[in-house]
Amino acid sequence: MSDEVKVDAKEENGSTETESKPKVVDDEKQDLGPPNALEQKIIRQIEYYFGDTNLPRDKFLQDEMKIEDGWVSLATMTKFNRLKQLTTNHKIIATALRKSDSGLVQISKDSVFIRRNPEMPIPENTEERRNDFNDRSAYVKGFPLDASLDTLIAHFEKYAKIDTVYMRRDQDKKFKGSVFVTFANKEDCDKFLAEPETKYEDAVLIKKSKTQYFKERDEDKKQKKLEQIRKKKEDQEKREDEENKKMADSITRGAVFQLTGFENKELSREDFKTYFNDYAKVAWVDYDKGDSKAMIRLSEANTAQSTLDKVKADHDGKLEVLDCVVEAKVLEGDEELDHWRKIFKDMADSRNRNKFSRKRRHGKDGGRGGPRGKKSRAGDDGGDGDSDGGD
C-alpha cells in the first residue's frame, strides 16, 4: 500500500447497496474554477497514488482495483497516510479531483469512488520507459534534515511541473538531506540542472542527473573496492616482509645448496652426508632414493659455496659427487627463504605428529612405546651435534 496502511475494502461512509451498484463515471464538465492550495495538494497526492511511478509497485492498491472494475472507495483512500493528513472529507476530495485537468483519475457520479482512467493504461515496464524516467530525474543534495515533503515539493514546483519527489533516508529512516526529483518532461529537468546555481533557503544545492549520480556512485564503489584490495595486498606484503625479516634473523644463511644430475639410482642420504662431511659439517640431507636432485644443508653460515669450491678443487675443476658429475646451485634470496620456510613447516608438522602419537600411545596401551616414524633423514640420528637440530 502506498502509505503502508491496510484497511478493510468495505466502504465505511456508504451502504453496501451503493457499493454493489455499477459505478457511473461523472464525465459532466463543470466550471468549478482553479483548485485552491489544499485542492492542488489533494490532486497531486491522489494522482501520485494512481500514477505511473507508484501504481505498478503498489500491490494493495492494485488488489483494491481488481474488486470493482478499477474503482476504489474514498473511504479506503482516506486511510492512506499522506491523503489523511490533508483531509478525510470526501466532498472536498471529489471537488478537488473534478478540478484536475490531467484526466488521470475518474470520479463516480455519487462522488464515492475513484479510479484510474481506463483509457490511460499503465505503460509497460520497458527499457525505453525506464530510460525516459531516468532522463527526467535529478539527484539534489543539501536540504536541511528537518525538511518536509510538502516544502520540498513546493520548492521544485517553482521550477516546473514535477511527477515525484523521493526523500532519501538512512537505515533508521531519517532524511539524509538529498532527494530524487522526477520532472514531467526531460526538457524541464535539463533546464533545472543547467541552472548555474540553485539554492534552498541560503544553502547552495548539489545537483546532477540521476544517471550521473548512479554512474559516479558505482565508480566510487569500484574505487573503494580496489582500494580495499590494494590495502589488503599492501598489508599482506607488509606481513610477509616482517615474516621474512624475522626468518632472515633466525636462519643459517648461505648454508644450503642443491645438486642435480644424478645417474646412480642406489645413492642414499647417508652417502651424501658421509661424502660432504669430509668438506664441512652437514646438518641435513633431503633426498629420496631415485631422486634426480638433493638438498644439502650445512651447519655453519656462508659455507655452501666454499664447500662446492673445495669439491671442484679435488676433481680437476669438475663438480664430481659420488662418481657423478653434477650441477650445483647455492640457494639465495627468496629461494633460500622459501626453503627455510618449508623446513620450519616440516619441523612444526613433525612435532605435531609426535605429540599426537604420544597421546595415542598413552591413551591406548598405558604408555608403552610403539615404532618410530617410518621415514628418517640423514642428520636425525641425534649423534652428530647439529647446531639447528632435526626437522
Side-chain angles (χ1 to χ4, degrees), residues 65-84:
M65 293 169 65
K66 292 175 184 176
I67 297 174
E68 285 195 82
D69 195 27
W71 293 102
V72 182
S73 70
L74 288 180
T76 296
M77 295 304 303
T78 51
K79 299 296 183 180
F80 286 48
N81 286 336
R82 287 282 301 166
L83 182 59
K84 182 168 64 176

Side-chain angles (χ1 to χ4, degrees), residues 313-370:
D314 286 351
H315 297 84
D316 299 326
K318 296 180 180 180
L319 189 57
E320 188 174 323
V321 177
L322 299 171
D323 299 326
C324 295
V325 177
V326 298
E327 295 181 356
K329 176 175 67 173
V330 177
L331 300 192
E332 298 176 323
D334 290 341
E335 192 173 23
E336 183 180 33
L337 290 176
D338 288 342
H339 180 75
W340 277 97
R341 192 176 285 110
K342 182 178 181 302
I343 289 173
F344 292 142
K345 183 180 183 301
D346 290 345
M347 291 171 66
D349 291 345
S350 178
R351 285 194 298 270
N352 290 335
R353 284 194 300 270
N354 291 337
K355 183 178 179 181
F356 179 72
S357 178
R358 286 195 298 272
K359 284 184 177 180
R360 289 190 62 187
R361 289 199 299 271
H362 283 289
K364 289 189 174 182
D365 50 35
R368 295 176 60 184

Side-chain angles (χ1 to χ4, degrees), residues 24 27 72 97 126 131 228 256 376:
V24 179
D27 53 5
V72 182
L97 291 175
T126 62
N131 288 339
Q228 289 175 348
V256 182
S376 61

Side-chain angles (χ1 to χ4, degrees), residues 219-270:
E219 181 62 27
D220 184 57
K221 284 185 176 180
K222 179 181 177 181
Q223 292 302 321
K224 285 181 178 178
K225 187 172 182 179
L226 290 173
E227 178 61 20
Q228 289 175 348
I229 293 173
R230 185 198 65 77
K231 184 68 166 58
K232 185 176 180 180
K233 183 179 179 181
E234 186 179 87
D235 291 343
Q236 177 65 23
E237 290 175 348
K238 184 178 179 181
R239 285 194 298 269
E240 290 177 356
D241 287 343
E242 292 173 351
E243 180 185 334
N244 289 341
K245 183 178 179 182
K246 183 178 179 180
M247 184 179 294
D249 294 337
S250 62
I251 68 174
T252 307
R253 283 190 172 277
V256 182
F257 59 88
Q258 173 183 284
L259 301 176
T260 57
F262 298 106
E263 297 177 1
N264 190 337
K265 306 299 184 182
E266 300 302 320
L267 296 175
S268 68
R269 287 186 288 273
E270 288 296 335

